[in-house]
Amino acid sequence: MAESNSTDFDLLWYLENLSDKEFQSFKKYLARKILDFKLPQVPLINLRATKEELANLLPISYEGQYIWNMLYSIFLMMRKEDHCMKIIGRRNRNQEACKALMRRKVTLQWENHTFGEFHYKFFCNVASDVFYVLQLAYDSTSCYSANDLNVFLMGDRASGKTMTINLAVMKWINGEMWQNMISYVVHLTSHEINQMTDSSLAELIAKDWPDGQAPIADILSDPKKLLFILEDVDNLRFELNVNEHALCSNSTQKVPIPILLVSLLKRQMAPGCWFLISSRPTREENIKVFLKTTDCYVTLQLSNEKRELYFHSFFNDRQRASTALMLVHDNEILTSLCRVAILCWITCTVLNRQMDKGHDPQHCCETPTDLHAHFLADALTSEARLTANQYHLGLLKRLCLLAAGGLFLSTLNFSGEDFRCVGFTEADVSVLQAVNILLPSSTHKDRYKFIHLNVQEFCAAIAFLMAVPNCLIPSGSREYKEKREQYCDFNQVFTFIFGLLNENRRKILETTFGYQLPMVESFRRYSVEYMKHLGRDQEKLTHHGSLFYCLFENQEEEFVKKVVNPLKEVTVYLQSNKDMMVSLYCLEYCCHLRTFKLSVQRIFEYKEPLVRPTARLSYISTASGFEELLKALARNRSVIYLGLNCTSISLNMFSLLREILDKPTCQISHLSLMKCDLRASECGEIASLLVNGGSLRKLTLTNNPLRSDGVNILCNALLHPNCTLTSLALVFCCLTEKCCSSLGRVLLLSPTLKQLDLCVNHLRNYGVLHVTFPLIFPTCQLEELYLSGCFFTNDICQYIAIVIATNETLRSLEIGSNSIEDAGMQLLCGGLRHPDCMLVNIGLEECMLTGACCESLASVLTTNKTLERLNILQNQLGDEGIVKLLESLILPDCVLQIIGLPLNNVSAETQRMVMTVKERKPDLIFLSETWSVKEGREIGVIPASQPGSVIPNSNLDYMFFKFPRMSTAMRMSNTASRQRL
């Protein structure tokens, strides 16, 4: 990297201004400093070197910052004050040059539009707390600071990240921030970095300096006073998962850009420097890989208080500001819209103009479609010289053509060539910029963008209903598109289209421009017919949130009814108040709904009142978890299945569950608490649910570390006279043989328990014997027993065979994934052939069986008259063994209806025999290798055929609930957790 040609950086000038004696002393000091700085020794740099030789050798041996730091230190020791002052003077001038450079860059980025000054004042006021954090973060004497600190500035689109950074830089330039803390700022954007391939740190720093001539030595001389600003890291075109061995520490060495950035962030280069990194919220590793516990994480969001301040500042009229705020606060969609300052400006501008016209904002600005329609109509007709409707309409059509072409070709920043392609003149672009529809791009030089993506999406929606021709804008043909320009989610465009199908909203544009949108009726008819088609094929619409948002934006009652009328099944994901509000509005019109699946993905507090007073899901309030929701469900007599899986169950929640289950009106018969991190200490609470459960018949506790101590507590409750449980699932609950005697006692004495699932527990032979022994007694009422993966062997198969032969109530036995082997299978077949065997299903998958047991098993198929289902998948039976089974399956004496056979690696001849069996017995079902185990996903069922449901117009068959995880991750593996089909 070339540096300034002045004597400021002329090593020879400094050396020649030393006497011969001083020069000899200088060389001695230099030898020591090389050791102090831990730099490599260079043989030619010795006491015999001349001034000219030394001046030539140093720059090719060491990086500039080390050279000048050594020189300054040596001159101090030699008391060469004139030399020291010259270096200090140079560094001060370069610091001021850096500030001047940054002032020009920030000023060029500053948005020069009518709301720029207002936004500047607003951000200066509201961002003071952010500036306070930034001040403390980079103050090495502050307790809030840390070595190698990264400050992450996070915020959604248009939340003010660039504005905040620019203001902070301006405060530094003006001496209001980071005085004596930051000497140099290096500003990098993702757009700049994405254009680079290989670079050195010196070149990266010098990119903004005139002719690339930056004082690298001074900038890197004290990294603890160097701040790197990295904007929009989520937009980087590459991942930052670089191997540690590839990192570089030489500031002059050219390396690939990812290696350079990671070397900087890992402080292999410029050790001790600071970073200010901005990004949109993202899950990408580019953020996670560098976020340390000591780093600072600041989120930019327009809070309610700051929004109120914005409205009052904008209107400068208390009454108007209060009217506008009331409208926004009472409408959850508009509240969500006004979380960024630019959209606040659009909202305030529209409301202000409507008030100027004497209109009631409550009636003319109900939805985002209203706001954007008024904004466009007012903006495009605001210029006094725009008098002809045809000109207004032409401007609108070209604008909509640009917007739609941009979205379809992933282009959000437009060039002059793009404007000419759609028919814009320079005067047109100036008009659109003057009315703040288009703004200069903050990232792409000489390009423009829409004031906000929402405005571009709204214009694209108009283009669709105008049936404008396709336009291949030149920028859309670029091979490389940055991440932020890659547009693929058209949900908001369709939401605006549905909003414009509403006649009153459409009239805002049609009246202003004297033009009827031609495609409205066609799209209305298409929407209704398409929903009828979906009604016949529910799987094509996996969730209904996007559709519901479209219909909520429309709010024409008859049209909404026609669209949702075919729906018999609905799936909704709730994350926020607006999700709730929109869903409630649409569910009220779902007259033929039979199944409703609800997934609450995040805890939120639902605000009242609801959109419509008749909507009956008004009880949800999650300020204290799901208590209000549970109470509402308890009042619904049709609720029979409640799942709280993956949820932290507190003592208060247990108390509430007892209260609910104890109510005479409660009909919940199945409670599922899978993967709730329940332990033995909570088993007393669970036991109280069993004793006071009233209607509770089934309890699922799968994937909880209850351990044997906890199950022993449950067993006492299971034998309580008030306990009427018929089914208990304890899959993967860390159980051992220590609890099996208690479980055996329950099986022997319980008059109600009919199903017990103990799969994936370490019961071993002793434990399984204790569980199966009670089944030979007539007092045992068990009908289904699941012992897959319980670590027992064929040593106890003779006892299991006795149970199979003598128990008249047992219908299903799952004992797969155990070491039964051929010897054990021979014993089990003896029990299965017994005339008193009443088993309907037996599972023997993955039991280490071979073809040697197939002859005995084949005889079972022709002699047993009750067995309908057999699973022997994942066993190595071989062709010979499978053929023996097929020969029995084809006989009329075989009553089997479902069989799981390992057919993956059989010969072609065996496959032909399988086809023959299928032809002869078309009702016989062959199961694949993946049939027997699946993850439980939908975890709550509510039949709603009875009156009094919490869902409006409720004639539901089922209602599914899924709740969010609220505790730390389970300490047990997920993979062993099984939910039976």
Side-chain angles (χ1 to χ4, degrees), residues 518-546:
M519 296 299 294
V520 170
E521 290 307 317
S522 298
F523 190 82
R524 288 171 72 95
R525 288 194 298 271
Y526 171 80
S527 301
V528 174
E529 290 302 316
Y530 183 68
M531 288 308 300
K532 288 180 181 177
H533 172 69
L534 284 183
R536 295 189 293 270
D537 189 358
Q538 295 290 338
E539 292 184 2
K540 287 190 176 180
L541 193 60
T542 55
H543 69 89
H544 297 75
S546 299

Side-chain angles (χ1 to χ4, degrees), residues 791-810:
F791 299 90
F792 67 85
T793 67
N794 55 26
D795 291 341
I796 62 168
C797 284
Q798 57 182 321
Y799 304 108
I800 298 176
I802 294 172
V803 170
I804 292 173
T806 59
N807 188 294
E808 296 183 358
T809 60
L810 191 64

Side-chain angles (χ1 to χ4, degrees), residues 306-545:
K306 290 178 180 177
R307 183 166 55 243
E308 288 181 13
L309 177 61
Y310 190 101
F311 275 57
H312 283 288
S313 300
F314 179 94
F315 286 100
N316 201 23
D317 181 309
R318 184 184 296 273
Q319 185 174 351
R320 282 197 172 193
S322 298
T323 301
L325 280 168
M326 187 179 300
L327 171 66
V328 170
H329 287 169
D330 288 346
N331 187 321
E332 197 60 48
I333 302 294
L334 298 186
T335 300
S336 177
L337 192 72
C338 291
R339 288 207 171 102
V340 296
I342 285 181
L343 293 178
C344 270
W345 181 84
I346 291 175
T347 302
C348 290
T349 300
V350 169
L351 294 177
N352 197 40
R353 286 173 181 168
Q354 294 308 304
M355 293 178 195
D356 286 342
K357 295 175 183 179
H359 297 161
D360 182 1
Q362 295 282 352
H363 295 106
C364 60
C365 299
E366 293 180 322
T367 68
T369 300
D370 293 328
L371 284 172
H372 288 83
H374 281 301
F375 175 70
L376 273 185
D378 291 339
L380 291 177
T381 58
S382 61
E383 293 284 318
R385 59 190 180 84
L386 304 181
T387 55
N389 269 353
Q390 282 303 112
Y391 179 80
H392 301 163
L393 181 59
L395 207 59
L396 177 65
K397 284 185 176 181
R398 293 192 290 274
L399 186 67
C400 295
L401 187 61
L402 181 75
L407 293 185
F408 280 113
L409 297 174
S410 293
T411 301
L412 306 181
N413 296 276
F414 302 97
S415 66
E417 193 178 359
D418 298 329
F419 292 134
R420 289 189 290 275
C421 178
V422 299
F424 277 135
T425 65
E426 289 186 9
D428 294 335
V429 176
S430 297
V431 168
L432 295 173
Q433 188 179 356
V435 296
N436 295 317
I437 291 176
L438 295 179
L439 305 177
S441 172
S442 60
T443 55
H444 294 62
K445 189 178 179 181
D446 299 327
R447 287 179 178 263
Y448 289 84
K449 63 180 181 180
F450 281 81
I451 183 174
H452 192 273
L453 180 61
N454 281 17
V455 176
Q456 184 173 353
E457 290 168 328
F458 183 72
C459 290
I462 299 173
F464 184 89
L465 295 177
M466 277 183 171
V468 296
N470 291 333
C471 179
L472 300 177
I473 59 174
S475 292
S477 62
R478 286 180 290 133
E479 289 186 12
Y480 170 70
K481 297 290 178 67
E482 291 186 330
K483 288 183 180 179
R484 287 192 174 180
E485 281 206 300
Q486 293 170 7
Y487 188 87
C488 57
D489 183 1
F490 282 82
N491 280 336
Q492 187 58 55
V493 175
F494 278 101
T495 301
F496 282 135
I497 290 173
F498 272 80
L500 289 169
L501 296 183
N502 181 298
E503 184 178 0
N504 293 330
R505 297 189 171 94
R506 194 168 65 251
K507 276 184 178 179
I508 299 169
L509 294 173
E510 291 180 341
T511 302
T512 302
F513 296 100
Y515 175 78
Q516 301 286 316
L517 295 175
M519 296 299 294
V520 170
E521 290 307 317
S522 298
F523 190 82
R524 288 171 72 95
R525 288 194 298 271
Y526 171 80
S527 301
V528 174
E529 290 302 316
Y530 183 68
M531 288 308 300
K532 288 180 181 177
H533 172 69
L534 284 183
R536 295 189 293 270
D537 189 358
Q538 295 290 338
E539 292 184 2
K540 287 190 176 180
L541 193 60
T542 55
H543 69 89
H544 297 75

Side-chain angles (χ1 to χ4, degrees), residues 553-760:
E553 192 75 14
N554 177 272
Q555 292 197 19
E556 279 189 352
E557 189 170 325
E558 289 305 314
F559 176 67
V560 173
K561 284 181 180 178
K562 286 180 182 179
V563 172
V564 301
N565 188 61
L567 292 178
K568 295 180 180 178
E569 179 177 314
V570 165
T571 302
V572 171
Y573 299 95
L574 297 184
Q575 297 189 69
S576 64
N577 289 316
K578 64 176 182 176
D579 293 341
M580 175 71 82
M581 180 177 69
V582 167
S583 299
L584 287 176
Y585 171 82
C586 294
L587 286 170
E588 189 167 354
Y589 296 106
C590 295
C591 299
H592 297 96
L593 192 62
R594 306 296 298 174
T595 302
F596 178 48
K597 300 179 181 179
L598 170 66
S599 175
V600 183
Q601 299 194 310
R602 186 175 64 85
I603 298 174
F604 60 93
E605 182 175 1
Y606 188 65
K607 301 191 304 183
E608 294 184 355
L610 294 167
V611 180
R612 289 177 171 233
T614 56
R616 280 177 263 170
L617 262 177
S618 58
Y619 312 108
I620 293 183
S621 170
T622 56
S624 55
F626 294 100
E627 296 181 3
E628 295 302 317
L629 174 59
L630 292 178
K631 288 178 182 177
L633 295 178
R635 288 194 286 268
N636 182 355
R637 290 174 178 268
S638 60
V639 177
I640 63 168
Y641 188 71
L642 176 63
L644 299 174
N645 302 308
C646 303
T647 303
S648 179
I649 310 295
S650 64
L651 291 177
N652 287 339
M653 184 71 85
F654 275 119
S655 177
L656 179 60
L657 285 172
R658 276 197 304 275
E659 178 187 337
I660 290 170
L661 294 171
D662 195 39
K663 287 183 180 294
T665 57
C666 179
Q667 299 297 314
I668 295 173
S669 61
H670 182 184
L671 176 63
S672 180
L673 302 175
M674 290 195 300
K675 202 176 179 183
C676 292
D677 205 12
L678 299 173
R679 299 169 180 274
S681 56
E682 282 92 22
C683 283
E685 298 294 332
I686 300 171
S688 69
L689 297 180
L690 297 177
V691 174
N692 303 300
S695 61
L696 192 62
R697 298 292 180 270
K698 183 174 181 178
L699 178 62
T700 301
L701 297 172
T702 295
N703 206 342
N704 286 292
L706 303 176
R707 302 191 180 277
S708 296
D709 293 344
V711 170
N712 286 331
I713 296 171
L714 297 181
C715 287
N716 293 329
L718 288 167
L719 293 175
H720 192 281
N722 291 345
C723 178
T724 56
L725 205 70
T726 61
S727 175
L728 178 63
L730 296 168
V731 179
F732 194 29
C733 287
C734 303
L735 309 184
T736 67
E737 65 267 26
K738 292 181 181 179
C739 65
C740 289
S741 58
S742 297
L743 287 169
R745 184 165 163 262
V746 169
L747 296 181
L748 185 65
L749 301 176
S750 172
T752 61
L753 193 64
K754 298 184 183 300
Q755 183 187 68
L756 180 63
D757 192 342
L758 298 172
C759 291
V760 200

